[in-house]
């Protein structure tokens, strides 16, 4: 048997096509090794880039061979190329999906890198919360748009879909109105997300009061906000709510906050000892930040006066604890030092009843 009997015919179109595919996959493997070497060197010098490279590695592994296969199909002889049109279209769709996957992973990696290098578990975390909110909201919006664009590009590769789209455009008046009304909540939330990212009425870890509930902004997605309530419940609020309805943000410019304690005492209670006790309580409390401390009479009626103790803390959680300590300490101080000046009800007894009571008493 001569060598020509078992060796493949290189002049045959299918043989040349197979060789082209093998060469393309080999080149893809070489490019993969070279790219990994370059990316490793880049990651050493740029820690944030290392996080992006690590997350985007998987789609890159898929993109390189698919891209080389597409080039191989373009360079294939005419006869095999006509027979493998379906396979080429399938590889093209896979390449588009891989590119979409790559873009989504890059956005996700950028979001994770910003969160890693700008932690919010610090006392002064205003800048970190601002950056995380912007990147997270814009990132989620970008992911949605990237996925929609990828699906649209894939659908446009099918001739039937293109013709169906052209026929729809011919009668797009009523259909467009119906689609617009149906997509209003989705589009409204996307626009609200862009507004929140740019103007930032709320940020990650902001302390807010929504629908009468006190909580912290735990998560901001492309459609809703998760507010962690103080008793470990979670309130899910649409993004549009924060654009269309008023709400309280206790950490809009700073986490520092003032807390008040209101107490009722008798008019005869001296205020200077109470102020001295308030000062002692604040200086002994680690929650007090040393900025504000004061005691004033803010209201009165026919029976008692209302005293307000105003104290400051670095955040709302410490303010709540400090207010509880001040309230308990002042009440205990008055009960111990001035028990006769606690609030009580007084009644005037007519003179005749007093004389009757005295006459009936054993003494």
């Amino acid at each position: 048997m001569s060598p020509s009997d078992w060796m493949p015919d290189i002049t045959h179109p299918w043989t040349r096509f197979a060789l082209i595919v093998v060469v393309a996959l080999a080149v893809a493997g070489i490019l993969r090794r070279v790219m990994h070497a370059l990316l490793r060197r880049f990651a050493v010098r740029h820690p944030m880039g290392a996080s992006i490279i690590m997350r985007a590695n998987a789609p890159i592994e898929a993109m390189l061979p698919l891209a080389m296969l597409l080039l191989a199909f373009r360079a294939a002889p005419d006869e095999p190329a006509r027979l493998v049109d379906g396979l080429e279209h399938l590889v093209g769709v896979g390449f588009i999906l891989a590119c979409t996957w790559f873009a989504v992973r890059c956005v996700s990696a950028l979001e994770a890198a910003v969160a890693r290098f700008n932690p919010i578990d610090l006392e002064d975390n205003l800048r970190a919360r601002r950056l995380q909110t912007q990147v997270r909201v814009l990132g989620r919006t970008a992911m949605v748009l990237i996925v929609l664009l990828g699906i649209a590009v894939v659908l446009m590769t099918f001739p039937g879909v293109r013709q169906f789209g052209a026929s729809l455009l011919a009668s797009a008046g009523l259909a467009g109105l119906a689609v617009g009304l149906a997509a209003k909540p989705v589009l409204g939330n996307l626009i609200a997300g862009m507004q929140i990212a740019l103007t930032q009425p709320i940020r990650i870890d902001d302390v807010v009061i929504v629908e009468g509930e006190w909580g912290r902004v735990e998560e901001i997605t492309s459609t809703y906000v998760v507010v962690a309530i103080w008793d470990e419940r979670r309130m899910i609020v649409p993004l549009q709510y924060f654009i269309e309805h008023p709400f309280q943000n206790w950490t809009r410019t700073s986490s520092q906050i003032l807390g008040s304690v209101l107490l009722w005492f008798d008019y005869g209670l001296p205020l200077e000892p109470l102020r001295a006790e308030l000062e002692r309580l604040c200086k002994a409390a680690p929650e007090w930040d040393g900025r504000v401390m004061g005691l004033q009479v803010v209201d009165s009626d026919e029976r008692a006066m209302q005293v307000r103790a105003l104290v400051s803390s670095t955040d709302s959680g410490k303010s709540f604890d400090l207010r509880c300590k001040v309230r308990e300490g002042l009440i205990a101080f008055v009960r111990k030092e001035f028990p006769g000046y606690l609030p009580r009800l007084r009644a005037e007894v007519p003179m005749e009843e007093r004389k009757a009571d005295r006459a009936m008493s054993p003494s």
Side-chain angles (χ1 to χ4, degrees):
M1 182 181 294
S2 62
S4 60
D5 295 333
W6 53 269
M7 289 184 64
D9 185 7
I10 300 180
T11 61
H12 194 276
W14 279 103
T15 303
R16 285 187 293 165
F17 175 71
L19 288 175
I20 292 174
V21 171
V22 171
V23 172
L25 293 177
V27 172
I30 296 173
L31 290 176
R32 172 178 169 274
R33 291 179 176 273
V34 173
M35 183 174 294
H36 279 191
L38 295 175
L39 292 178
R40 280 197 298 268
R41 294 184 61 182
F42 176 79
V44 172
R45 299 178 181 178
H46 303 83
M48 184 175 292
S51 175
I52 299 176
I53 292 170
M54 182 177 64
R55 290 189 175 229
N57 184 55
I60 290 177
E61 296 281 349
M63 287 171 58
L64 285 176
L66 290 173
M68 297 309 300
L69 284 176
L70 285 176
L71 292 177
F73 291 145
R74 293 289 189 273
D78 293 338
E79 183 179 350
R82 287 194 299 270
L83 297 177
V84 295
D85 282 342
L87 181 60
E88 180 181 359
H89 182 252
L90 183 63
V91 173
V93 170
F95 180 73
I96 295 172
L97 295 177
C99 292
T100 304
W101 183 22
F102 172 76
V104 169
R105 293 299 293 268
C106 285
V107 174
S108 175
L110 179 61
E111 179 183 328
V114 171
R116 177 185 175 187
F117 290 99
N118 297 274
I120 60 175
D121 55 349
L122 303 175
E123 186 170 344
D124 185 12
N125 59 0
L126 181 61
R127 178 179 178 274
R129 291 190 291 112
R130 181 184 298 116
L131 287 175
Q132 283 203 29
T133 301
Q134 286 181 331
V135 172
R136 186 168 300 186
V137 176
L138 292 176
R140 300 293 168 84
T141 305
M143 288 181 193
V144 173
L145 295 177
I146 289 171
V147 171
L148 292 178
L149 180 62
I151 294 174
V153 173
V154 168
L155 293 177
M156 292 302 293
T157 61
F158 295 91
V161 175
R162 287 200 299 267
Q163 295 174 2
F164 179 70
S167 63
L168 281 180
L169 290 177
S171 58
L174 186 59
L177 180 60
V179 171
L181 292 175
K184 181 180 177 181
V186 178
L187 297 177
N189 279 321
L190 286 176
I191 295 173
M194 297 293 292
Q195 289 179 286
I196 288 175
L198 297 176
T199 61
Q200 293 197 341
I202 57 170
R203 291 180 291 264
I204 299 297
D205 204 45
D206 264 345
V207 176
V208 295
I209 295 182
V210 181
E211 297 293 322
E213 297 283 0
W214 183 97
R216 290 183 179 272
V217 177
E218 185 177 54
E219 184 181 359
I220 301 177
T221 70
S222 57
T223 56
Y224 61 87
V225 177
V226 180
V227 179
I229 309 302
W230 64 273
D231 57 2
E232 298 187 355
R233 291 177 294 149
R234 297 296 186 272
M235 179 182 291
I236 310 301
V237 187
L239 280 176
Q240 285 182 282
Y241 179 92
F242 295 96
I243 301 299
E244 299 175 354
H245 298 85
F247 63 95
Q248 294 185 38
N249 188 336
W250 288 13
T251 54
R252 178 68 178 87
T253 57
S254 173
S255 61
Q256 295 177 340
I257 192 170
L258 298 180
S260 61
V261 175
L262 300 175
L263 298 170
W264 289 91
F265 293 121
D266 187 86
Y267 281 109
L269 176 68
L271 295 180
E272 290 307 320
L274 203 61
R275 289 192 175 97
E277 178 63 14
L278 174 62
E279 182 177 359
R280 187 192 69 80
L281 291 171
C282 288
K283 290 183 177 179
E287 295 85 1
W288 185 55
D289 62 2
R291 292 187 301 115
V292 177
M293 177 188 61
L295 187 139
Q296 294 174 311
V297 177
V298 294
D299 197 4
S300 61
D301 59 15
E302 67 277 6
R303 293 185 299 272
M305 61 180 178
Q306 189 180 52
V307 177
R308 184 188 69 179
L310 193 63
V311 292
S312 61
S313 299
T314 55
D315 58 59
S316 57
K318 292 180 180 179
S319 177
F320 180 80
D321 294 337
L322 179 60
R323 288 165 58 201
C324 293
K325 287 184 178 181
V326 169
R327 185 180 295 109
E328 295 170 3
L330 292 180
I331 291 175
F333 173 76
V334 174
R335 289 183 61 187
K336 180 180 178 182
E337 301 296 335
F338 305 96
Y341 296 118
L342 291 171
R344 63 186 64 190
L345 291 176
R346 292 183 174 88
E348 291 186 1
V349 180
M351 185 61 66
E352 292 78 5
E353 294 183 14
R354 294 186 194 178
K355 291 179 180 180
D357 290 340
R358 292 175 184 175
M360 293 177 61
S361 62
S363 58

